[in-house]
Amino acid sequence: MSASKARPVRPGGANPRSRAQRRADTERLLADERHLWLASGGPRPHLVPLAYVWDGGVITMVTRRATRTARNLLADGVVRAAFGSATDVVLVDGTVELTEPAEDPADVRARYARLPLDPARVPGAVGVRLTPRRILAWRSLAELEHRVIMDDGVWLT
């Protein structure tokens, strides 16, 4: 391929980020974004966008108790959350706990108030608390080899 027809390098393609940089970028993304895609298993796998709040250790969401997502989470309790774009991927695998919002501590209820589906205003809502166990992050093929930045709940940096 001639120099005039060279393909542009996508962000992160030429020089892969270190795990430490990917961790910092991931923590910033988790803090700044407000929506994720949540995949749940169970008898009928399901993928749904949800608003969330990150407190630095747990991803807090709310859904209605009658949804397929809630049923799947009760049946299985293991999920994958997807953030970012096809050129800046963050995947979080973890376990979830469904909670009764009225019984949650005040700090968790304060996080709910920052979500569109606040249980204080929406009857039939249930809290969903995702604890990350494994996090993968990459922007290009150059970062695939070391894409795991958290394993078994421990950051690898």
Side-chain angles (χ1 to χ4, degrees):
M1 183 177 292
S2 71
S4 63
K5 294 186 180 188
R7 294 181 187 174
V9 176
R10 286 188 271 169
N15 298 307
R17 296 170 295 164
S18 67
R19 275 196 174 127
Q21 184 61 54
R22 278 187 273 159
R23 174 183 175 175
D25 292 346
T26 296
E27 290 185 290
R28 188 171 30 262
L29 179 136
L30 291 172
D32 293 346
E33 290 295 318
R34 290 292 159 245
H35 293 88
L36 57 77
W37 285 94
L38 188 70
S40 59
R44 294 183 66 194
H46 194 56
L47 179 67
V48 63
L50 291 174
Y52 76 93
V53 176
W54 166 252
D55 72 358
V58 174
I59 298 167
T60 302
M61 300 158 280
V62 175
T63 191
R64 293 181 188 268
R65 188 178 324 280
T67 63
R68 182 181 311 163
T69 298
R71 289 190 304 272
N72 283 356
L73 297 177
L74 281 170
D76 188 50
V78 177
V79 297
R80 171 169 272 182
F83 304 81
S85 68
T87 58
D88 192 3
V89 178
V90 174
L91 300 176
V92 176
D93 296 329
T95 57
V96 294
E97 173 189 9
L98 296 182
T99 65
E100 292 298 327
E103 298 173 9
D104 282 327
D107 63 318
V108 175
R109 289 194 314 273
R111 285 193 289 276
Y112 292 150
R114 295 169 42 198
L115 297 170
L117 191 64
D118 180 355
R121 296 185 318 268
V122 180
V126 62
V128 180
R129 300 190 65 213
L130 166 57
T131 302
R133 302 301 303 153
R134 186 169 183 245
I135 299 178
L136 299 88
W138 71 92
R139 287 187 179 159
S140 71
L141 292 173
E143 292 185 357
L144 283 179
E145 183 179 356
H146 300 289
R147 66 186 169 261
V148 178
I149 60 172
M150 175 187 278
D151 196 27
D152 201 23
V154 177
W155 292 102
L156 301 179
T157 57

